[in-house]
């Protein structure tokens, strides 16, 4: 099997790591990848957004299967373009990716499918949005309707914050067209969980749940990020809730998308809130989470490749994946300044020392090789140090031992990944 993974983050490194273990693989490429991924795959210097060049490359190399990691190429229709060229792509079509690409589409789809979610309204008139905020009261959530790379959501405790978000998104257009319309939602209360299912258009199998740590600071403070760490499995999300989520959220979404003629194939990410009234959907994404993917794949005992192929071929209904009983954790190392302006270019040393700790994996994200061969920081989130252990405390201690072995003065990390689970039990 000749495979191409698209993307350059820790998620894509973990995907390449898992795929490269498959006996079915003959050759793996990654576009554009990063220096860590180069250990598992041949890097192709094509950006994830350049769909025509990616299709041309896949054709020229007779790639059998493409696995896109990030949302942007999916929403832009990379799956459609590849399939038209006769190349299998494990990811939703552009139309099905609208569950992530448009918040109002997702909300309206949930309503049609009877999926429990926060009450919402969409506005393209800022005055009407302001009026609702003043009428409803706090807390309230203001979201840019379009794709905003994690920067389009404001959970407002004060009216000024909510009004400022309307101004920033709709008037100042800080997110461009993505903020031309906003969705204003009821604020859900509870524990948050990221749940993943592999879908073949009709059937789906669970890939498990993880808890992300979105805020940059310890104790879940400071601005939102792409995710500063994750662990799996979350103790407050037992098997019964996973089953309830498959039945009440994942299957109805698949059925509704199929009914509309836009079936969802690929990895469905359900961001959940475990509320007092049961599991509610915060949002759908059309892809794996980062760093949730790293934490989840560390626990996978089966070959990932046949599962991806079954998802593509509509043959998941009898499929089963085996998972380790161990806990896993992923700690993100980011460049100082992230999520604002990360300090780039600093040298990173000691990854070998971290990898010498048993049960550790280090996945690269924003790293690059300087002309003289040194490994340097080239992005906001730079490394994910992951570990498994018989319980979360053990996995955490191992991961932080790895983190401390890395010598990168410009980097920082949260010391408290897993704290909600560790505090509860
Ligand atoms: P997103 O960027 O869409 O992943 O959303 C960022 C974060 O905003 C989510 O992970 C939640 O923590 C929070 N959030 C979004 N919608 C709601 C909601 N309706 N109620 C409470 N929190 C929310
Ligand atoms: N870590 C959350 C995300 O990937 O969107």
């Amino acid at each position: 099997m000749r495979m191409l993974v698209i993307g350059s983050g820790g998620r894509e490194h973990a995907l390449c790591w898992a795929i490269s273990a498959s006996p079915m693989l003959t050759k793996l490429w990654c576009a554009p990848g990063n220096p860590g991924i180069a250990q598992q795959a041949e890097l192709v210097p094509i950006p994830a957004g350049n769909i025509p060049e990616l299709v041309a490359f896949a054709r020229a190399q007779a790639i059998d299967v493409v696995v896109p990691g990030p949302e942007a190429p999916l929403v832009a229709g990379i799956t459609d373009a590849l399939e038209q060229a006769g190349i299998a792509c494990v990811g939703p079509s552009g139309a099905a990716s609208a569950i992530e690409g448009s918040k109002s589409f997702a909300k309206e789809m949930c309503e049609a499918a009877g999926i429990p979610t926060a009450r919402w309204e969409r506005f393209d008139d800022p005055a009407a949005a302001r009026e609702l905020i003043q009428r409803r009261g706090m807390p309230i959530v203001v979201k840019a309707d379009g794709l905003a790379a994690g920067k389009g959501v404001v959970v407002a405790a004060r009216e000024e914050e909510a009004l400022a978000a309307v101004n920033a998104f709709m008037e100042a257009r800080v997110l461009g067209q993505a903020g031309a319309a906003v969705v204003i939602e009821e604020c859900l209360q509870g524990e948050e969980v990221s749940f993943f299912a592999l879908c073949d258009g009709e059937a789906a199998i669970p890939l498990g749940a993880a808890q992300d740590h979105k805020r940059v600071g310890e104790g879940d403070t400071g601005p939102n990020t792409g995710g500063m760490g994750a662990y799996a499995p979350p103790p407050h999300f037992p098997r019964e809730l996973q089953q309830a989520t498959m039945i009440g959220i994942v299957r109805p979404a698949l059925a509704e998308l199929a009914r509309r003629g836009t079936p969802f194939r690929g990895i469905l990410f359900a961001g959940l809130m475990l509320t007092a009234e049961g599991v509610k959907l915060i949002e759908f994404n059309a892809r794996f989470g980062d760093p949730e993917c790293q934490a989840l794949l560390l626990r996978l005992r089966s070959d990932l490749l046949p599962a991806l192929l079954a998802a593509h071929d509509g043959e998941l209904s009898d499929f089963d994946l085996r998972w380790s009983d161990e806990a896993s954790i992923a700690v993100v190392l980011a460049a100082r300044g992230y999520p604002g302006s990360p300090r780039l270019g600093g040298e990173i040393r000691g990854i070998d020392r971290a990898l010498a700790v048993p049960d550790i994996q280090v996945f690269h994200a924003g790293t690059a090789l300087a002309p003289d061969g040194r490994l340097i920081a080239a992005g906001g989130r730079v490394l994910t140090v992951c570990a498994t252990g018989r319980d979360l405390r053990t996995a955490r201690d191992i991961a932080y031992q790895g983190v401390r072995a890395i010598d990168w003065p410009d980097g920082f990390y949260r010391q408290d990944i897993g704290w909600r689970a560790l505090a509860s039990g």
Side-chain angles (χ1 to χ4, degrees), residues 11 212 214 226-227 269 283 285 287-292 381:
R11 167 181 53 205
D212 189 11
K214 283 184 196 285
F269 172 163
E283 59 172 0
N285 294 313
R287 51 166 175 94
F288 240 136
D290 185 340
E292 291 97 320
R381 293 189 294 173

Side-chain angles (χ1 to χ4, degrees), residues 103 118 141 143 150-153 155 185-189 192 214 224 273 282-283 285:
K103 306 246 186 234
V141 183
K143 300 184 174 184
K151 299 195 171 72
V153 177
V155 180
E185 284 183 15
E186 162 199 11
C187 188
L188 300 173
Q189 310 288 344
E192 240 183 287
K214 283 184 196 285
N224 261 329
M273 192 73 90
I282 299 174
E283 59 172 0
N285 294 313

Side-chain angles (χ1 to χ4, degrees), residues 245-263:
T245 303
M246 288 299 286
I247 292 166
I249 294 179
V250 173
R251 298 221 169 94
L254 293 186
E256 177 62 21
L257 288 168
R259 192 187 64 75
R260 295 174 179 208
T262 54

